[in-house]
Amino acid sequence: MGSGNWSTTVYGAAEDYRAASGTSAFDYSDRLTASAPRHTWAAHPSLDPKGLTVRESRDSDEHPTSLALSVVFDVTGSMRTVPRVLQTKLPELFGLLLRKGYTEHPQILFGAVGDATCDRVPLQLGQFESDNRMDDDLGNILLEGGGGGQLTESYELALYAMARHTSIDCHERRGRRGYLFLIGDEMPYGKVKAREVREVFGDEIGEDIPTAAILAEVQRTFDVYFIVPAGAAHVGNADVLGTWRKLLGQNVIELDDLGAVCETIALTVGLGEEAIDLASGLDDLADIGSDAGAAVGKALATLGQGSGTVARSSAPLLDDVPGASGTIRL
Amino acid sequence: MHTIVVDLGYGDAGKGTVVDRLCARPPGAEPVTAVVRFNGGAQAAHNVVTADGRHHTFAQFGSGTFSGVATHLSRLMLVDPLALAAEARHLAGLGVPAPLALLTVDRRALLTTPYHAAANQARERARGTARHGSCGMGIGETAAYALAHPADAPTAGDAASRTELRRKLTLLRDRLTDELGPLGAPPVDACLDAFAAFAGQVTLVDERYLPRLLRRGPVVFEGAQGVLLDEWYGFHPYTTWSTTTFEGAETLLAEADRPHGAALRLGVVRTYTTRHGPGPLVTEDPALTASLPEPHNGHGRWQGAFRAGHFDAPAHRYAVEVCGGVDGLAVTHLDAPSRHSGLGIVRGYHTADGGPMSRIPAAADAPGDLDRQQRLTDVLLTARPDAAQSPGRDPHTWTEALTEALSAPVLMESYGPTTADKVYGGGGSRAAAELIPPGSRNRCPETSPAGR
């Protein structure tokens, strides 16, 4: 249990109690969950993957070298208050990427995953946007808070969507892969199930696709990362980490301060784009007055080794143990 | 009539789903007034799945919440306001309107704080491979600190006073830090904010509340953990720092001047025996662990693995005996025997020296002798189970076998996770079971309530 974990728990609790007395930030989710019975809950029309053709990231005169960046987070109950914190933090991401010039023309898609076996809304996907319309998508995400409690969520449906329903110029025109960040605390199911694909997308795929196979497909066009944030229920679960490490190797990032999620993503992109090494990235964070350096440095320690392309160190990320110094980040 | 629901095993038998069913009263029946928690704290994990597929793991909220039944956290409960906030948030997300409004908390209930949890984790980590299987949430620390420093232990009532709470939290943090070194826990001011917010949102009540509640209508007392984990009767040191028998509920009933026998004592068992974390589980069978998937219990970070074995008749008989007998049983997972034909009942063991053992002896003379309990643990850790005998695939032969093994009638049968999967009263005589007259107790004949 890192200290970051405590900070989210304590502040999260205070906010939860305050929220219970009235106000809260996330309109669509709060209005829907407060006013409608659960069986009627549905994704906001702008985020519903049913009948999805493609989500496009395109070059334009204004953005001649677009870079596709997807951030899809788990909104099930085991994530506790994490999705809400993400909703407040992620709008900074765009600005962060631009400020130090890690990439000039990011186009960001936000999405959310749940559990297709028991949730009303197992997948929500916005559009790749390069302006504040992405904030609208983020605000419209339904925080269903369900999930099945079996340590699996339907991340594989997000992989399927990214593999089969995106078209991104950075790859198609320039051979540069985009980035996909999944944020969660559970394992994917072993297969993309044809039945669920039919229900969620309306696609007929004939037979199930093993998750490893759909991942390989995604990885042709996206570098895929999995971020396990502090404050979720299954943080540190060996099965979850083991499963994702088997799938993604070193691209599994344990982050013990949720407040640093944007910085973590930005620096990962900076590293991947070879714009920086980890040390200069951390300097950049200090430059812009961010206090996330320590958490980001720890989270990305194994990614930041070496220069150029992202290093694949074989050193395992260890169990996080509170620092002997007892330092507390709040 | 009030009902006390207690798990006769090592926890995870299905108290949550049983309480949920008791609270889902048919139209016209007298509604349950409240669920009362009388032991343990936020480490409880009682899973309830509604008919429309919503799932919540109840920790401090009572498992009748989906039916709109209020929860009272009694003076015997250890209240964790941070975990409570997260739980309320999840319930709200599942469509429970204003969950905190359903809650009353006795001012005398002890508070579990991040300092207790951090100390718990520090100690458990130091035990290395000899971990006790603690949940790492500070429950034992809360109880221990209150015993050592009764006047300084923070209570729910203190949360309403920043001055008093600051004094107690600071003292607590300093004492634990002196003992264990720096704790990964937040500053006192951050805790004060959260705890004050807690006091502002839940209804804090005094000792007059529960007696009124008990007069108003039927109450379900929801136990936590299981009798085989009891602090005094469990197999030391693999126990929880909590009285997991009926005793706490009976104490509260007595304080409210309810006559002895005012509540139905319902013991929950599953058709196979499970244990989360280390400690004796004589009937353990790795093949069963593998073939009986556990939807809501994974490998706990602090607790360790989830283990399964055949129904352990000696251990459950022991539980019935030490807790002073039960009026009836709620049997869960009755759908398992038809799907796993290898499932059976173990009626005896062989100890390490080869001797047969059909009964685990309860300490009739000196309950709470932990050296004795430790010796019992040593025997059980090396005992080998006799061959499991299967009552067959028919659930009714199972309920008959369990009635015979534990000398108590089966009053509720559960075949699945939701309320709709339960039969109360067995064989359709639900109404009769719901109104079992207090005089008709059918307690385990061998029972000589230990230490009572």
Side-chain angles (χ1 to χ4, degrees), chain B residues 58-293:
Chain B
F58 286 95
Q60 297 186 81
F61 278 88
S63 298
T65 300
F66 283 130
S67 298
V69 174
T71 298
H72 176 62
L73 305 183
S74 75
R75 70 171 180 88
L76 300 176
M77 172 79 178
L78 310 178
V79 179
D80 181 335
L82 304 189
L84 188 69
E87 194 180 355
R89 158 79 65 201
H90 189 244
L91 284 166
L94 292 178
V96 175
L100 290 168
L102 287 173
L103 212 59
T104 49
V105 182
D106 192 303
R107 291 174 175 279
R108 298 165 293 176
L110 293 171
L111 288 183
T112 298
T113 71
Y115 309 111
H116 294 112
N120 177 192
Q121 289 167 20
R123 280 193 231 274
E124 188 78 344
R125 205 179 287 117
R127 286 182 191 120
T129 54
R131 285 185 176 186
H132 291 180
S134 159
C135 296
M137 297 180 69
I139 305 299
E141 288 292 334
T142 307
Y145 186 83
L147 280 180
H149 309 284
D152 301 331
T155 65
D158 294 331
S161 155
R162 274 182 99 87
T163 326
E164 181 62 0
L165 189 62
R166 182 191 302 279
R167 179 187 79 77
K168 288 187 173 179
L169 287 181
T170 308
L171 200 55
L172 170 68
R173 181 201 58 190
D174 292 350
R175 280 181 176 145
L176 291 175
T177 307
D178 286 349
E179 190 184 343
L180 296 163
L183 302 169
V188 167
D189 276 346
C191 291
L192 280 175
D193 285 344
F195 286 22
F198 155 79
Q201 290 301 319
V202 303
T203 307
L204 297 171
V205 297
D206 62 20
E207 68 280 3
R208 292 167 298 182
Y209 180 80
L210 185 56
R212 281 204 308 268
L213 193 65
L214 290 167
R215 280 195 296 273
R216 214 183 296 156
V219 161
V220 175
F221 288 86
E222 179 171 0
Q225 292 89 43
V227 171
L228 296 177
L229 297 174
D230 182 79
E231 55 185 334
W232 302 119
Y233 296 110
F235 305 130
H236 186 76
Y238 305 103
T239 58
T240 180
W241 198 312
S242 173
T243 294
T244 59
T245 62
F246 295 94
E247 189 177 308
E250 297 284 14
T251 300
L252 294 172
L253 285 160
E255 285 171 4
D257 288 329
R258 298 283 101 189
H260 192 67
L264 178 85
R265 295 155 63 103
L266 189 61
V268 186
V269 297
R270 28 165 128 188
T271 47
Y272 52 100
T273 301
T274 62
R275 176 158 201 156
H276 205 165
L281 177 57
V282 181
T283 61
E284 180 169 12
D285 181 346
L288 283 184
T289 309
S291 69
L292 293 162

Side-chain angles (χ1 to χ4, degrees), chain B residues 1-19:
Chain B
M1 179 167 196
H2 308 307
T3 308
I4 313 173
V5 176
V6 157
D7 183 322
L8 295 177
Y10 298 102
D12 302 306
K15 290 176 295 296
T17 193
V18 166
V19 169

Side-chain angles (χ1 to χ4, degrees), chain A residues 111-127:
Chain A
V113 293
D115 187 337
T117 63
C118 57
D119 287 352
R120 290 287 308 168
V121 185
L123 185 68
Q124 302 171 73
L125 284 178
Q127 303 278 359

